Amino acid sequence: MAEPDDVFPNSLDARLELLDARPRFDESGLVSSRYNLRLNSGECALIECRDMGQAALFADMCVGLIPLDDGHIRCMGLDWADLDERRSNALRGRIGRVVMTGGWVDLYGTHMNILWPQLHHTRTPIEKLQAQAVHLAVRLGLPGLPVVPPNRLSSMDRQRAACVRSMLGEPALLLLEHPMEGASVSLMEAFLSLVTDLRDRGCAVVWMAPDESGWGDYASDATIRLRLYDDGLFSMRGS
């Protein structure tokens, strides 16, 4: 498997770029409209989307899981349409994601659920990944890396675990589907601190929520604020 740095060495291109991207409706469920967005290193887009199912499909499109009828989607300067499976996997190893559905496999411990994406997409040693995951878990208020199955954790601890999974491996792009729904003040503060740290290191962030309450006071720290409708992305007034 390719290491991410073998695929895009020291790329200075946009972290995420949608250029008149028109998804193939019959393979996605997204209306075949044109989407445009550019996020550079350290930038953050807050996207209001009433239908979080649609937001999840939009995130799928951003990571190359939905084919296009027209236009381009580039991640770190690379067009998904130009990449074979090996290089796509390596590129996805640099993308963190919190999914609304959870994406948990209850047959296995939470720790393995957290580590799997990086184990699949990169060659990073498991010992290094475990150490990073424990550090993130503690910062988010967990006593360590949970080993029980996800369905035995409280909903808030699953939120914490989902954030750990998304931030593992120091991603260059972070896609967040309403990650702080119902979160406590302490969890929100810890999460925002980690998001800020990642942005300071060059990570671009796409944070989607049903309304403005989803990102609390973070709106003032965003680069751009958008709304996601059936017919594309549109700037929010005053953003």
Side-chain angles (χ1 to χ4, degrees), residues 124-133 168:
T124 306
I126 190 170
E127 295 80 9
K128 182 177 180 179
L129 291 174
Q130 286 175 328
Q132 291 177 354
L168 192 59

Side-chain angles (χ1 to χ4, degrees), residues 114-120 122-136 145 164 168-170:
I114 288 171
L115 297 172
W116 268 330
Q118 288 294 306
L119 291 174
H120 176 68
T122 76
R123 290 199 301 259
T124 306
I126 190 170
E127 295 80 9
K128 182 177 180 179
L129 291 174
Q130 286 175 328
Q132 291 177 354
V134 169
H135 173 73
L136 289 168
L145 202 57
V164 173
L168 192 59
E170 296 190 359

Side-chain angles (χ1 to χ4, degrees), residues 98-235:
V98 173
V99 298
M100 276 291 293
T101 57
W104 301 111
V105 179
D106 290 322
L107 292 175
Y108 301 96
T110 304
H111 63 304
M112 290 309 302
N113 277 265
I114 288 171
L115 297 172
W116 268 330
Q118 288 294 306
L119 291 174
H120 176 68
H121 292 307
T122 76
R123 290 199 301 259
T124 306
I126 190 170
E127 295 80 9
K128 182 177 180 179
L129 291 174
Q130 286 175 328
Q132 291 177 354
V134 169
H135 173 73
L136 289 168
V138 171
R139 285 194 62 179
L140 287 165
L142 290 167
L145 202 57
V147 297
V148 299
N151 61 0
R152 292 181 58 189
L153 294 175
S154 69
S155 60
M156 188 168 292
D157 282 351
R158 279 195 300 274
Q159 276 183 290
R160 292 185 171 99
C163 294
V164 173
R165 180 174 57 185
S166 71
M167 295 177 177
L168 192 59
E170 296 190 359
L173 174 64
L174 194 59
L175 299 173
L176 306 171
E177 299 168 28
H178 202 18
M180 292 290 101
E181 181 181 13
S184 66
V185 172
S186 62
L187 176 54
M188 175 65 94
E189 290 176 349
F191 177 77
L192 293 182
S193 176
L194 286 170
V195 169
T196 299
D197 288 350
L198 284 172
R199 290 181 64 189
D200 287 344
R201 294 197 291 270
C203 180
V205 178
V206 176
W207 185 345
M208 294 174 283
D211 55 53
E212 295 185 21
S213 67
W215 45 77
D217 297 330
Y218 201 67
S220 60
D221 295 304
T223 308
I224 187 171
R225 294 175 61 189
L226 304 164
R227 283 195 175 96
L228 176 62
Y229 296 111
D230 285 343
D231 49 348
L233 283 169
F234 298 89
S235 177

Side-chain angles (χ1 to χ4, degrees), residues 24 43 227:
R24 190 172 301 164
E43 293 186 334
R227 283 195 175 96

Side-chain angles (χ1 to χ4, degrees), residues 13-21 35-40 61-62 68 71-80 173:
D13 294 279
R15 290 294 193 249
L16 178 65
E17 192 171 23
L18 282 66
L19 295 169
D20 284 333
Y35 295 81
N36 287 280
L37 174 65
R38 179 185 173 99
L39 282 181
N40 294 318
M61 184 173 67
C62 289
L68 303 179
H72 301 274
I73 296 180
R74 299 189 183 111
C75 188
M76 282 151 274
L78 299 175
D79 194 317
W80 290 110
L173 174 64

